[in-house]
């Protein structure tokens, strides 16, 4: 006998479409919201509605923002000569948290992944090339901060090639042992990168 | 610099209020929805809004339902002589899935838990006693299917006492080894229950 109300089944279904949330977790969340006052569920519903209504992409760096251009692109105190290229908006967040970077950003919204059918034309690479060209000689360095994995490296190589022969310095974030990490547990590739990138004390 | 739009922070915050969802998962879910078309987020928002709008509690068994009385209570083919008492609506679902039970239900919406300040008056126990009384001699058996833990047992004892001296058979679900389980890994209490409840082959 079908004893579960349709709206409950519907919410369980919607929750379980989210990544990393299985049917068990989805039904746990649904019954949790059902037990709590309605305003809990409504607050979450409102936040979901506002997400796409109020958030847009900056027309210059393609980071998420409420205003276009975004706060970083419209801040004249940021160093206009450096652009840090990242895969996702979350990466901008991570770099901002260090408080060590004062330049601009450019968000690719992905990496080149032929297996998944994602080519350079699906990313904001053309937009980066044009942005740098429009800025004339202003840009002195492009830091390619894609992830240190196969796709990230391939994407970095591809981007570097677009600026070959120019006067712009193309750099990549240092690879090495993570701070607080243990040499004993480091994988061979990280360790060999840490060796080749060693610095004088 | 605050680079994350407020609506994004708000959704991350709302997600992380849900049980078992930490800040990392919450931001992963938020950025997942941001990357996907708006209708994904809106569908989830709609389902959340409808949850409390369309779901109510059955005035007889207190299970969740879209209609009052619920489909089980209003089905004349169900055995009106047996009431199965459970803690939560999810328990009704679990028992219905067995397809082995044809009686009615009564959902307590919790268990007696003095530590958390939950007494019998916070549960639908009074309503159960009244419901049984109103049905006259119709009810022959009450199966107390609260969970086999400390609170569940205490609640079962309390309910059984309410019907002491009457003609109604009060039963409890069998405790024993779970089917497909391994005797080697069974805890002592389960094993001793399985022993005392052993049946002839």
């Amino acid at each position: 006998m079908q004893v579960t109300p349709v709206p409950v089944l519907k919410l369980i279904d919607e929750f379980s479409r989210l990544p990393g949330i299985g049917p068990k977790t989805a039904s746990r969340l649904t019954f949790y919201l059902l037990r709590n006052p309605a305003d809990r569920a409504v607050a979450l519903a409102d936040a979901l509605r506002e997400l796409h209504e109020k958030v847009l992409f900056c027309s210059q760096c393609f980071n998420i923002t409420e205003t276009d251009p975004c706060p970083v692109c419209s801040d004249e105190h940021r160093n206009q000569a450096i652009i840090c290229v990242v895969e996702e908006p979350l990466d901008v967040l991570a770099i901002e948290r260090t408080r060590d970077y004062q330049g601009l950003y450019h968000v690719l919204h992905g990496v080149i992944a032929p297996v998944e059918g994602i080519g350079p034309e699906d990313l904001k690479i053309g937009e980066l090339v044009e942005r740098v060209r429009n800025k004339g000689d202003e840009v002195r360095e492009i830091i390619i901060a894609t992830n240190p994995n196969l796709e990230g490296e391939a994407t970095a190589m591809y981007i570097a090639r677009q600026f070959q022969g120019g006067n712009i310095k193309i750099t990549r974030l240092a690879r090495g042992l993570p701070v607080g990490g243990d040499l004993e547990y480091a994988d061979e590739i990280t360790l060999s990168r840490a060796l080749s990138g060693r610095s004088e004390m």
Side-chain angles (χ1 to χ4, degrees), chain A residues 11 15 18 21 24-34:
Chain A
L11 184 55
F15 268 133
L18 296 175
I21 294 190
K24 285 249 169 182
T25 307
S27 88
R28 196 167 45 80
L29 292 175
T30 301
F31 281 94
Y32 170 82
L33 287 170
L34 203 56

Side-chain angles (χ1 to χ4, degrees), chain A residues 13 28 57 76 80 100 103 159 168 176 193:
Chain A
D13 182 53
R28 196 167 45 80
F57 294 108
E76 290 165 13
Q80 308 286 318
D100 271 339
I159 294 171
I168 302 167
R193 293 280 195 158

Side-chain angles (χ1 to χ4, degrees), chain A residues 42-60:
Chain A
V42 170
L44 180 54
D46 288 345
L48 282 160
R49 283 200 165 276
E50 282 182 8
L51 185 67
H52 282 270
E53 275 169 18
K54 295 199 180 165
V55 177
L56 39 103
F57 294 108
C58 173
S59 59
Q60 291 179 32

